[in-house]
Amino acid sequence: MIETTLGGLTLASALAAVAVVALAGLIRGITGFGGAMVMAPPLALLLGPRLAVPITLMLEAFAAAPMLPAASRIAQWRVLAPIALAATASVPLGVHLLAVSDAVTLRRAIAAVVVVFALLMLLGLRYRGPHRLWTSIGLGGLSGAMTGATSISAPPVILYLLAGPDPVALSRATLTLYIVVISVVGLALLALRGLIDARALWLAAAMTPPYVIGLLVGTRQFSRFSDRRFRQFTIAFMLASAIVVLIA
């Protein structure tokens, strides 16, 4: 079987992984969300969850980092703080699940998370109440555990923040900060558990260029798309790809 220099993957697996992260970057650039939901299930299938989770977190943190200065100036810190603190406290639970769970079971769990939240987003179901403290803490706890186990933390926070009365720009800024914070926390705990090795670092570095290229192209093409229709297409695509991984 032919192997490449991309972390010892077969040629077919390497090309598929590059295509997946480039597409994830493109979709994230156009819609502002969805990078982890697009790439986590197929990368879990191609690489296994224990490689896919840290790679996805590294790429997501890298993509969001340049937006931090602008986002930090307008973010809703009062809403962000309890979500981020609760998520930080629950990330270790998710990391533990990643370390001890069967790879096939965990891969399907990652796909199932995407299926559930893609359906919720496709149907337009969102949280409709005010941003109460205990709601934020509960949602942060769920999101943190999801981060450690699956690398997918944003969907519940998206459903929570973007449904409120605040301007979309403020909610997106808060979401950007949250993604960076929780990704860094998740990566630190994964490293402490020995789940980030040289191969994961090498693969993440090798996949960064196609992800960034996709992100830049997507950002430049944003104005050419109908936001609502493309978001619906993106979520439907996430749903279809996750279902394929779920039954594979």
Side-chain angles (χ1 to χ4, degrees), residues 160-244:
Y160 183 59
L161 292 180
L162 297 187
D166 302 303
V168 173
L170 298 185
S171 297
R172 285 184 175 178
T174 305
L175 180 61
T176 295
L177 282 175
Y178 174 74
I179 289 173
V180 173
V181 168
I182 200 62
S183 296
V184 170
V185 171
L187 288 168
L189 291 171
L190 287 171
L192 288 174
R193 288 294 298 263
L195 295 174
I196 300 179
D197 55 15
R199 189 182 183 212
L201 292 171
W202 165 239
L203 285 169
M207 292 181 189
T208 296
Y211 189 70
V212 171
I213 291 171
L215 185 66
L216 292 175
V217 172
T219 301
R220 292 180 179 179
Q221 297 298 315
F222 171 74
S223 61
R224 299 188 180 184
F225 290 90
S226 164
D227 184 62
R228 180 173 176 272
R229 289 185 178 180
F230 191 80
R231 283 170 183 264
Q232 289 176 337
F233 167 77
T234 298
I235 296 168
F237 174 81
M238 293 175 191
L239 179 62
S241 63
I243 289 173
V244 170

